[in-house]
Amino acid sequence: MDTTQLFGYIGALIVGLVLGLIGGGGSILTVPLLVYLLGYNPVIATAYSLFVVGATSMVGTYQKYKKGLVDFKTGLAFSFPSFIAVYLSRRYLVSGIPDTLLNIGNFTITGDMGIMIFFAIIMMLASYSMIKRKKDHDTLPKKQSYYKTFFQGIIIGTITGIIGAGGGFLYVPALVIWANIPMKKAVGTSLIIVTINSLMGFIGDVQTLEIEWVFLLSFTLISIIGIIIGVFLSKFISGKGLKKSFGVFTLIMAIYIIYRETS
């Protein structure tokens, strides 16, 4: 094992730790790690990210379920339109992105560059949601109509499919604001959606990409170990302070990605 691979596996452990500590943000680390450190192209990296985040979120779902913090009915209501959108976006949209998207004078925006810049923009939005002070919603009015949930699930599913993210940072506020469920239960419920969406999106990739299963499974196993450690450590670490710090880190990473892709 060379130094680059070693750092890659250390990164996998950190991905799991982050998921265990703050309940999201795994893909924010996974995609840049696979692209810039391990040298995978963005399409492969986003596919692998879906598998890693989906598998680790499955472990998180079980842990939240034991604590009674999972609303299966609401989670599945969001999952149905979302996983359809994720699957179709990975199967047809991402695989059909052309090598060259746009030429502006002597500057060319490639398909891979477009994916990474779009990913960086979503990272900026995620960093804002983590940095800003949020209000807890413990008692809320009646839930919205299902057709609205279906439409929202399609939109978020398409975005997460393109960037190869589980979408926890999008689903948690959606469940609180749109589905009107308490914050703590929203975090647990989002893990169901993240698990189903990520793994369904990856199934769409399996049909179009060559997968290095030995690497992917070993990377995922280390990430799962990380999430177990992270959940344990979360009992002793302030989640709010950690989330805000990670939000700042995410913003810096997004700026770095844009700089790296456009320089």
Side-chain angles (χ1 to χ4, degrees):
M1 180 185 298
D2 59 29
T3 304
T4 300
Q5 287 179 315
L6 177 61
F7 280 118
Y9 286 126
I10 292 173
L13 186 67
I14 295 173
V15 166
L17 283 170
V18 169
L19 281 168
L21 287 168
I22 67 174
S27 59
I28 289 172
L29 291 175
T30 306
V31 173
L33 178 68
L34 291 169
V35 172
Y36 298 125
L37 182 60
L38 298 178
Y40 288 95
N41 72 59
V43 173
I44 293 289
T46 52
Y48 286 8
S49 173
L50 287 171
F51 184 85
V52 173
V53 173
T56 51
S57 295
M58 187 184 299
V59 175
T61 300
Y62 175 69
Q63 293 174 320
K64 293 293 184 181
Y65 170 73
K66 289 193 298 183
K67 297 179 180 179
L69 296 175
V70 177
D71 184 335
F72 279 102
K73 184 177 179 180
T74 303
L76 292 176
F78 266 89
S79 293
F80 177 66
S82 294
F83 82 68
I84 291 175
V86 173
Y87 175 83
L88 292 176
S89 63
R90 296 301 302 183
R91 180 70 175 85
Y92 300 105
L93 184 58
V94 175
S95 62
I97 294 175
D99 293 335
T100 300
L101 289 177
L102 186 65
N103 287 308
I104 305 174
N106 294 325
F107 183 74
T108 299
I109 300 177
T110 66
D112 287 349
M113 183 190 299
I115 291 175
M116 293 306 295
I117 291 175
F118 183 62
F119 183 82
I121 292 171
I122 299 300
M123 284 175 69
M124 287 181 174
L125 296 176
S127 70
Y128 173 73
S129 70
M130 286 185 279
I131 293 170
K132 74 174 183 175
R133 187 186 299 270
K134 292 183 179 180
K135 296 180 180 179
D136 291 330
H137 299 266
D138 293 320
T139 57
L140 292 163
K142 63 180 182 178
K143 296 183 180 182
Q144 67 176 356
S145 302
Y146 181 70
Y147 80 90
K148 293 181 180 178
T149 300
F150 187 92
F151 181 69
Q152 292 154 359
I154 289 288
I155 293 174
I156 299 176
T158 301
I159 293 172
T160 57
I162 293 172
I163 66 176
F169 58 88
L170 295 174
Y171 285 113
V172 170
L175 288 167
V176 171
I177 296 169
W178 295 335
N180 295 327
I181 64 177
M183 178 64 75
K184 288 185 178 180
K185 185 165 279 190
V187 172
T189 304
S190 72
L191 291 174
I192 301 175
I193 310 171
V194 170
T195 299
I196 295 174
N197 284 3
S198 298
L199 296 180
M200 285 300 298
F202 180 74
I203 290 172
D205 286 314
V206 168
Q207 301 174 61
T208 58
L209 302 173
E210 291 291 331
I211 308 297
E212 296 178 27
W213 285 106
V214 173
F215 165 77
L216 182 57
L217 291 175
S218 59
F219 190 98
T220 303
L221 178 60
I222 294 172
S223 184
I224 289 173
I225 293 171
I227 198 173
I228 293 171
I229 297 172
V231 168
F232 174 76
L233 293 177
S234 66
K235 301 175 184 177
F236 312 102
I237 300 174
S238 169
K240 289 184 178 179
L242 187 67
K243 197 165 190 176
K244 187 168 292 188
S245 298
F246 187 71
V248 174
F249 172 75
T250 299
L251 180 60
I252 294 171
M253 282 293 296
I255 294 170
Y256 172 76
I257 289 173
I258 293 174
Y259 168 77
R260 178 77 179 260
E261 293 296 326
T262 58
S263 61

